[in-house]
Amino acid sequence: MTDSSRTPGPRKASERSKITTASLREMKAAGERIAALTAYDHLLAGILDRAGIDVILVGDSVATVMQGRDTTVPVTMDQMVYHCELVGRATERALVVGDMPFLSYQVSTEDALRNAGRLLKEGLAEAVKIEGGRQYAKTVSALVSAGIPVMGHLGLTPQSIHQFGSYKARGVDAEERNRILADAKALEDAGACAMVLEKVPAELGESVQQAVDIPVIGIGAGPNVDGQILVTHDLLGLFTRFRPRFARRYLELADEIQGAIGRYCDDVQSGDFPSADESY
Ligand code: KIV
């Protein structure tokens, strides 16, 4: 649902200067919603930052969106550091969060510290995101003690796709609902600065939002959370391999680009391009 009449530029939150993990908490306390998106490259990250986005996540979704993989599992630590650094250099105001890829934090706390440290030192990230709840509480508190802010990720956690067996909504039955609520509390207690909550019933989104004081940023978690995150390439209509119900499209860029390239091919073939003005 595109509203082209909306004046671009700073929203209320943008009146704040640099967004930090502290600003995210203040925003929750003030009832100000957090707008977050993904980016993997310098060009797009700069555009998002200038548009007033609060959080840029360098997501491991880079695997499915940019690398043409079926899941997020194969993306490597080196690749995440590379993409983070591109985004970090382009971003002035947004908080940059680097995603910890599969097996970069699950094996040991030491591994997690070393890898998360790389995202901050080499990748210029200001926080890291890990998938999972109680089972990583110790890891989260070790990272936080080392000065590394951590964003959790609950609900549908795509790195566990081979365990889940599908991308269907999580937290639908009472048992899993209670587990997600307990995980959210455990992440908060371990010192996480915020969490992503993916693909759960809206009513569970609201319960998690109320259960914790740290911001809950939803993706397919309904409207009653503290902010929303989407994959930018979904929002722009650039990624078309599948279309999650929660991903509102603001543009149909893949069609636009294909049309433009078709017109360029026609112009080259007909000799219309280049014109005299485009020649020396
Ligand atoms: O990797 C990613 O893009 C994510 C978002 C979907 C939250 O984790």
Side-chain angles (χ1 to χ4, degrees), residues 38 40 57-62 72 99 129 131 153 158 196 198 219 229-231:
T38 57
Y40 319 113
L57 170 69
V58 186
D60 60 358
S61 53
V62 68
T72 57
D99 225 351
K129 177 169 82 58
E131 295 185 4
H153 185 153
V196 166
E198 181 164 351
I219 173 163
I229 183 162
L230 284 178
V231 170

Side-chain angles (χ1 to χ4, degrees), residues 13 40 45 70 99 111 113 117 126 137 167 178 194 213 222 249 265:
Y40 319 113
D70 290 332
D99 225 351
D111 249 18
L113 276 165
E126 296 155 318
Y167 287 104
N178 291 337
D213 289 330
R249 283 227 191 136
C265 291

